[in-house]
Amino acid sequence: MYSRIARSVAAALAVGAIGTLAAVGSARAAGFSLPEASTAGIGTANAMVANPKDLGAIPYNAAAMGFHDKSSVALGALMIGPSFSVTTASGSHDSNGADWVGVPMIQAAIKVADRWRVGLGLTAPFGLETRWPYGTFPALSQSATVRLPAPVGRVSIPTASHPTNSKLEILDLAPSVAFRVNEDLSLAAGLDIYWAKSAELNSNLGSMSGDGTGVGFNLGLLYRVGALGLGASFHSASTLGLSGNFTPSNTTLVALGRLPQGQSASLDLDLPWRLQLGARYEFTKELAAEFDWSYTGWSKFQQLVVTGDRTGARISTETNAWKNSGAYRLGLTWQVRPTTQLRLGYAYDETGQGDNYFSARVPDNNRQTFGIGVAQDLGRGFSVEAGYMYVMGEKRNVRSAVPYTSTSGVNGTNALNGQYEMSANLIGIELVMTF
């Protein structure tokens, strides 16, 4: 009996703890995406891909550089205050993660010739932090009492891996180049150099920490005809090779040789491709509106396969089976004074996470986003921008009829049944210099 339980524990640990790496809960866009790349984007709910005027559009579409006659540098930060909660059979529980998480928003666009611009941006497009208290999910918090040979005697060991806290932060260093084909058309291309700066995973059985890198590419197009602007931006999928160290916390299983003292492991994390199309219309010189449609290739996020570095053998496999999802964004910009611009935005994001493999690591659902922002010209080439965004997720009632067993995966089973809720507050500020 003990041997069967221990094998189940080890399998659950590998899947539940290491699988957290790509399934960190996010308080932002569908899945674990963070599309906010500038303060202007925060105020317009990320409807910026067809904007040839505002510098804050460059991180969304590098082709926007071609329409700016001056060089520019923007330095800013995004502060995110997420809130997750779930009501299960054991009561109501909050995900007690960090109250606020800060990520960078940095963008430089340099004019090198009449038709050529080069850019370099730094953002955090994926990741966040969640913490579920032990006992949140009763079926994953149970233990079994077994009798072992003397002198050990009767011991209590866990029968499943209960997720506790998870943290993931991915930075994207994006060099790019833009070419102004003519007065109305600009094209751009660049790289997305990803770095999983922080990846920390904890469960009741152990923890894992590590990092890794990956590379993708991006393309941009921006066309302007009269008062109409049309834009398109594409970021390719990418695979990050992550490596780290697993540290068990259950001393009983370690002493009995059922869990290793410590083991290095690797995991390939597949990031989705992203497509954004937009149309912007200037009703007057002061007032403009943009509608964008975004589509994210979450179908790339199918499985998480953990491999032991010493043996090269597969340790575990976790199925996610996500689907591609869309988002609809509307942004308004109003130049209320020659030196002051106001921004408003609304977006509706669809989740890519279905019911069959629902994961508490990403308690995702459809959500609505409301943004407001302001930009103030300070003179002498300087301006300051600020934005606020509120994210309101729809409640998600998980009522799976699939029974959880110690030998099955957790995703999509009744072990995660409950009512999930989420919201988030986001604040961004930037200092912009043109020269």
Side-chain angles (χ1 to χ4, degrees), residues 315-327:
I315 297 176
S316 67
T317 300
E318 180 173 320
T319 300
N320 297 288
W322 284 26
K323 60 182 180 181
N324 300 341
S325 65

Side-chain angles (χ1 to χ4, degrees), residues 35-342:
E36 288 71 36
S38 73
T39 301
I42 296 171
T44 59
N46 301 304
M48 295 294 292
V49 75
N51 189 324
K53 288 191 172 182
D54 295 314
L55 293 172
I58 295 174
Y60 293 88
N61 185 354
M65 290 191 293
F67 289 91
H68 294 276
D69 293 330
K70 294 183 178 181
S71 299
S72 64
V73 175
L75 303 175
L78 171 65
M79 300 300 296
I80 309 169
S83 174
F84 293 94
S85 64
V86 63
T87 301
T88 65
S90 60
S92 180
H93 306 274
D94 293 326
S95 173
N96 300 316
D99 291 335
W100 289 92
V101 178
V103 298
M105 295 187 299
I106 301 173
Q107 180 67 49
I110 308 300
K111 181 179 179 179
V112 295
D114 287 342
R115 291 176 178 263
W116 292 93
R117 309 288 189 274
V118 294
L120 182 65
L122 179 65
T123 58
F126 298 97
L128 209 56
E129 182 178 9
T130 57
R131 297 181 183 179
W132 293 116
Y134 186 69
T136 298
F137 308 104
L140 304 180
S141 307
Q142 298 175 359
S143 60
T145 301
V146 298
R147 182 180 295 276
L148 301 175
V152 178
R154 296 176 64 86
V155 296
S156 179
I157 63 172
T159 58
S161 176
H162 186 295
T164 52
N165 68 290
S166 312
K167 183 178 180 181
L168 176 67
E169 183 181 3
I170 296 179
L171 299 180
D172 179 14
L173 183 66
S176 58
V177 58
F179 176 67
R180 182 79 172 265
V181 179
N182 53 45
E183 289 299 312
D184 297 319
L185 177 63
S186 178
L187 303 176
L191 297 176
D192 290 305
I193 304 172
Y194 295 110
W195 174 35
K197 173 178 176 292
S198 177
E200 301 176 4
L201 317 169
N202 286 325
S203 74
N204 60 312
L205 296 181
S207 62
M208 179 177 175
S209 62
D211 57 11
T213 59
V215 178
F217 68 87
N218 62 78
L219 302 172
L221 177 151
L222 187 51
Y223 178 69
R224 182 182 64 183
V225 51
L228 179 65
L230 301 173
S233 176
F234 176 78
H235 292 259
S236 73
S238 180
T239 299
L240 276 63
L242 305 178
S243 60
N245 295 307
F246 170 69
T247 303
S249 59
N250 189 283
T251 57
T252 300
L253 294 180
V254 172
L256 295 171
R258 303 300 181 176
L259 287 177
Q261 289 283 348
Q263 179 178 339
S264 62
S266 60
L267 167 69
D268 287 340
L269 169 59
D270 294 321
L271 298 180
W273 53 261
R274 293 164 284 157
L275 173 67
Q276 188 165 353
L277 306 176
R280 180 179 183 269
Y281 189 79
E282 294 184 357
F283 297 99
T284 67
K285 291 183 179 181
E286 294 78 23
L287 182 65
E290 177 169 337
F291 176 78
D292 286 6
W293 174 71
S294 299
Y295 201 58
T296 303
W298 287 116
S299 60
K300 296 290 294 182
F301 189 56
Q302 287 293 309
Q303 284 189 328
L304 296 172
V305 179
V306 182
T307 304
D309 293 338
R310 286 180 296 188
T311 63
R314 177 177 295 191
I315 297 176
S316 67
T317 300
E318 180 173 320
T319 300
N320 297 288
W322 284 26
K323 60 182 180 181
N324 300 341
S325 65
Y328 310 88
R329 314 186 187 281
L330 177 63
L332 300 175
T333 56
W334 179 27
Q335 199 73 33
V336 294
R337 296 191 306 174
T339 58
T340 306
Q341 184 187 76
L342 295 181

